[in-house]
Amino acid sequence: MKKLINLIVIILMASTSCNNLRKPNSAVDFEKGDFGYDVAFLSQKDDGLIVLSSNDGKAQIIVSPKYQAKVFTSTANGLSGASFGFVNYEVLNSDVIDEHMNGYGGENRFWLGPEGGKYSVYFAKNAEQVFDNWHTPKPIDIEPWDVVSKDAKNVVMKKEMQVTNYLDYQFKLNVDRKISLMEPAEANRILGIAANPALNMVAYQTDNAITNLNDFEWTQETGAICIWILDMFNPAPNAVTVIPFNEGSEVETGKIVTSDYFGEIPADRLKVLQNVIFLKTDGNFRSKLGLNGKRTKAIAGNYDPSIKRLTITTFDVSKDAIYLNQEWDPTKNPLTGDALNAYNDGPLADGSIMGPFLELESVSPAAFLKPSQSLMHRHTVFHFSGEEKDLNPIAEKLLGVSIEAIKNAF
């Protein structure tokens, strides 16, 4: 296997295709955890794999049209750099198609919501909303997407699809997804931070749009869908997700956090301070939380001290919009839901585990669209790696807390 991986990498390094994969100074024996390993491994699974690269070749991302237009993983330091996304090698090597969900991984993937509730597109009409009846729509689970265009830093993909909701309405839609790699100067400008040559960085933006292809309007009577973007990263024993939030009374802004998606999160894994939330993301305890559109500041982060990786995600939020409830309970109000979610994987009741991985997620408002109308949702990912003294100003400015505070949260 290792010889095959190395052979594929050598072939890729020699290529000068529009994928823009940059050649390092010498051939390298890549191991799991290296970006080069993942380029080679995933090239065996998707012969149309696309690698976008920065001008200096250090920032790179892997995009897969075959695997539902995912950004599978990224690096801030070329082929020999750390691979930041979660790649599920076991599932990708399996010939078995799971009826519920095929967890291939991917540090940025497109899904549709809501997952549960009255408008769910994961449960059939009248089905009890339990795991045995939960099925991910195939266009976002196992079907390939079409490439519309690509160049060194951008790829545009699309997919026409049909999904049926819990009310038995069939939604026909078109999805357009553009993924754009940024140069560091552009990323720094967007975040409003100073450039620091001591740090390595990779950043990319995803623009995701859905268009109503039905001949009827999506209303509260028919139900609606939403865009759901999920980032899967590798957990670590001391990794922590950081979520700043807007202060205010619950009457005006709702409760601070929904923390009981899978049962209440224990206090040694969740801390809610005056204006920031910490969630332990070690991959050892299945837990999920959410913030509504008024509470979230449209930003979240995660820090892994073992590889000194600081991740920032930003996304579109509309404070006055309707967000759909994704809980697995059709009796709850479907029009009251979260705009941001964070997840830590862990063993299921039978001892099995999907990953482990951690997730940062964002959701668009409900798509109450007339025929031919569209809704767009932007979600952007920034990874920084380097010494903690250089990462600290970024954490303090963007998340409102120091690296030391994150490390000592639990």
PDB file of all heavy atoms in Angstrom, residues 35-47:
ATOM      1  N   PHE A  35      -0.510  15.703   4.261  1.00  0.00           N
ATOM      2  CA  PHE A  35      -1.398  16.070   3.154  1.00  0.00           C
ATOM      3  C   PHE A  35      -1.085  15.246   1.909  1.00  0.00           C
ATOM      4  O   PHE A  35      -1.991  14.811   1.186  1.00  0.00           O
ATOM      5  CB  PHE A  35      -1.264  17.566   2.864  1.00  0.00           C
ATOM      6  CG  PHE A  35      -2.187  18.068   1.800  1.00  0.00           C
ATOM      7  CD1 PHE A  35      -3.534  18.258   2.056  1.00  0.00           C
ATOM      8  CD2 PHE A  35      -1.703  18.374   0.526  1.00  0.00           C
ATOM      9  CE1 PHE A  35      -4.397  18.727   1.069  1.00  0.00           C
ATOM     10  CE2 PHE A  35      -2.553  18.854  -0.462  1.00  0.00           C
ATOM     11  CZ  PHE A  35      -3.903  19.026  -0.186  1.00  0.00           C
ATOM     12  N   GLY A  36       0.200  15.009   1.641  1.00  0.00           N
ATOM     13  CA  GLY A  36       0.586  14.228   0.469  1.00  0.00           C
ATOM     14  C   GLY A  36       0.010  12.829   0.486  1.00  0.00           C
ATOM     15  O   GLY A  36      -0.347  12.278  -0.568  1.00  0.00           O
ATOM     16  N   TYR A  37      -0.057  12.223   1.655  1.00  0.00           N
ATOM     17  CA  TYR A  37      -0.666  10.902   1.773  1.00  0.00           C
ATOM     18  C   TYR A  37      -2.120  10.947   1.337  1.00  0.00           C
ATOM     19  O   TYR A  37      -2.600  10.076   0.599  1.00  0.00           O
ATOM     20  CB  TYR A  37      -0.557  10.400   3.212  1.00  0.00           C
ATOM     21  CG  TYR A  37      -1.106   9.002   3.424  1.00  0.00           C
ATOM     22  CD1 TYR A  37      -0.259   7.903   3.415  1.00  0.00           C
ATOM     23  CD2 TYR A  37      -2.468   8.788   3.609  1.00  0.00           C
ATOM     24  CE1 TYR A  37      -0.751   6.616   3.586  1.00  0.00           C
ATOM     25  CE2 TYR A  37      -2.980   7.514   3.783  1.00  0.00           C
ATOM     26  CZ  TYR A  37      -2.116   6.430   3.773  1.00  0.00           C
ATOM     27  OH  TYR A  37      -2.615   5.163   3.939  1.00  0.00           O
ATOM     28  N   ASP A  38      -2.844  11.973   1.777  1.00  0.00           N
ATOM     29  CA  ASP A  38      -4.262  12.065   1.448  1.00  0.00           C
ATOM     30  C   ASP A  38      -4.490  12.374  -0.028  1.00  0.00           C
ATOM     31  O   ASP A  38      -5.459  11.896  -0.630  1.00  0.00           O
ATOM     32  CB  ASP A  38      -4.951  13.104   2.335  1.00  0.00           C
ATOM     33  CG  ASP A  38      -5.127  12.617   3.768  1.00  0.00           C
ATOM     34  OD1 ASP A  38      -5.068  11.388   3.981  1.00  0.00           O
ATOM     35  OD2 ASP A  38      -5.315  13.457   4.662  1.00  0.00           O
ATOM     36  N   VAL A  39      -3.601  13.174  -0.634  1.00  0.00           N
ATOM     37  CA  VAL A  39      -3.701  13.418  -2.076  1.00  0.00           C
ATOM     38  C   VAL A  39      -3.602  12.092  -2.825  1.00  0.00           C
ATOM     39  O   VAL A  39      -4.412  11.783  -3.715  1.00  0.00           O
ATOM     40  CB  VAL A  39      -2.608  14.384  -2.559  1.00  0.00           C
ATOM     41  CG1 VAL A  39      -2.600  14.464  -4.087  1.00  0.00           C
ATOM     42  CG2 VAL A  39      -2.817  15.770  -1.982  1.00  0.00           C
ATOM     43  N   ALA A  40      -2.610  11.286  -2.455  1.00  0.00           N
ATOM     44  CA  ALA A  40      -2.395  10.014  -3.133  1.00  0.00           C
ATOM     45  C   ALA A  40      -3.537   9.039  -2.870  1.00  0.00           C
ATOM     46  O   ALA A  40      -4.040   8.391  -3.795  1.00  0.00           O
ATOM     47  CB  ALA A  40      -1.069   9.412  -2.687  1.00  0.00           C
ATOM     48  N   PHE A  41      -3.950   8.939  -1.629  1.00  0.00           N
ATOM     49  CA  PHE A  41      -5.020   8.001  -1.270  1.00  0.00           C
ATOM     50  C   PHE A  41      -6.321   8.359  -1.982  1.00  0.00           C
ATOM     51  O   PHE A  41      -6.980   7.502  -2.585  1.00  0.00           O
ATOM     52  CB  PHE A  41      -5.226   8.007   0.248  1.00  0.00           C
ATOM     53  CG  PHE A  41      -6.365   7.135   0.706  1.00  0.00           C
ATOM     54  CD1 PHE A  41      -6.186   5.782   0.916  1.00  0.00           C
ATOM     55  CD2 PHE A  41      -7.621   7.674   0.923  1.00  0.00           C
ATOM     56  CE1 PHE A  41      -7.240   4.972   1.316  1.00  0.00           C
ATOM     57  CE2 PHE A  41      -8.695   6.886   1.328  1.00  0.00           C
ATOM     58  CZ  PHE A  41      -8.496   5.524   1.531  1.00  0.00           C
ATOM     59  N   LEU A  42      -6.707   9.615  -1.933  1.00  0.00           N
ATOM     60  CA  LEU A  42      -7.981  10.027  -2.510  1.00  0.00           C
ATOM     61  C   LEU A  42      -7.948  10.006  -4.032  1.00  0.00           C
ATOM     62  O   LEU A  42      -8.995   9.845  -4.673  1.00  0.00           O
ATOM     63  CB  LEU A  42      -8.351  11.424  -1.996  1.00  0.00           C
ATOM     64  CG  LEU A  42      -8.701  11.475  -0.506  1.00  0.00           C
ATOM     65  CD1 LEU A  42      -8.756  12.923  -0.005  1.00  0.00           C
ATOM     66  CD2 LEU A  42     -10.022  10.765  -0.227  1.00  0.00           C
ATOM     67  N   SER A  43      -6.766  10.126  -4.625  1.00  0.00           N
ATOM     68  CA  SER A  43      -6.653  10.030  -6.079  1.00  0.00           C
ATOM     69  C   SER A  43      -7.006   8.630  -6.572  1.00  0.00           C
ATOM     70  O   SER A  43      -7.427   8.455  -7.716  1.00  0.00           O
ATOM     71  CB  SER A  43      -5.237  10.385  -6.531  1.00  0.00           C
ATOM     72  OG  SER A  43      -4.958  11.747  -6.289  1.00  0.00           O
ATOM     73  N   GLN A  44      -6.823   7.646  -5.696  1.00  0.00           N
ATOM     74  CA  GLN A  44      -7.219   6.279  -6.048  1.00  0.00           C
ATOM     75  C   GLN A  44      -8.734   6.119  -6.045  1.00  0.00           C
ATOM     76  O   GLN A  44      -9.279   5.231  -6.701  1.00  0.00           O
ATOM     77  CB  GLN A  44      -6.625   5.287  -5.056  1.00  0.00           C
ATOM     78  CG  GLN A  44      -5.115   5.264  -5.008  1.00  0.00           C
ATOM     79  CD  GLN A  44      -4.638   4.349  -3.901  1.00  0.00           C
ATOM     80  OE1 GLN A  44      -4.797   3.136  -3.965  1.00  0.00           O
ATOM     81  NE2 GLN A  44      -4.060   4.924  -2.860  1.00  0.00           N
ATOM     82  N   LYS A  45      -9.421   6.968  -5.287  1.00  0.00           N
ATOM     83  CA  LYS A  45     -10.865   6.841  -5.116  1.00  0.00           C
ATOM     84  C   LYS A  45     -11.646   7.720  -6.097  1.00  0.00           C
ATOM     85  O   LYS A  45     -12.777   7.414  -6.440  1.00  0.00           O
ATOM     86  CB  LYS A  45     -11.261   7.217  -3.681  1.00  0.00           C
ATOM     87  CG  LYS A  45     -10.487   6.448  -2.604  1.00  0.00           C
ATOM     88  CD  LYS A  45     -10.685   4.949  -2.746  1.00  0.00           C
ATOM     89  CE  LYS A  45      -9.871   4.175  -1.726  1.00  0.00           C
ATOM     90  NZ  LYS A  45     -10.014   2.710  -1.914  1.00  0.00           N
ATOM     91  N   ASP A  46     -11.061   8.833  -6.513  1.00  0.00           N
ATOM     92  CA  ASP A  46     -11.723   9.771  -7.415  1.00  0.00           C
ATOM     93  C   ASP A  46     -10.724  10.198  -8.478  1.00  0.00           C
ATOM     94  O   ASP A  46      -9.808  10.978  -8.201  1.00  0.00           O
ATOM     95  CB  ASP A  46     -12.232  10.988  -6.624  1.00  0.00           C
ATOM     96  CG  ASP A  46     -12.949  12.005  -7.508  1.00  0.00           C
ATOM     97  OD1 ASP A  46     -13.039  11.778  -8.734  1.00  0.00           O
ATOM     98  OD2 ASP A  46     -13.407  13.031  -6.980  1.00  0.00           O
ATOM     99  N   ASP A  47     -10.897   9.670  -9.704  1.00  0.00           N
ATOM    100  CA  ASP A  47      -9.937  10.005 -10.752  1.00  0.00           C
ATOM    101  C   ASP A  47     -10.124  11.421 -11.286  1.00  0.00           C
ATOM    102  O   ASP A  47      -9.345  11.891 -12.110  1.00  0.00           O
ATOM    103  CB  ASP A  47      -9.983   8.992 -11.891  1.00  0.00           C
ATOM    104  CG  ASP A  47     -11.361   8.870 -12.534  1.00  0.00           C
ATOM    105  OD1 ASP A  47     -12.243   9.702 -12.220  1.00  0.00           O
ATOM    106  OD2 ASP A  47     -11.561   7.944 -13.338  1.00  0.00           O
TER     107      ASP A  47
END
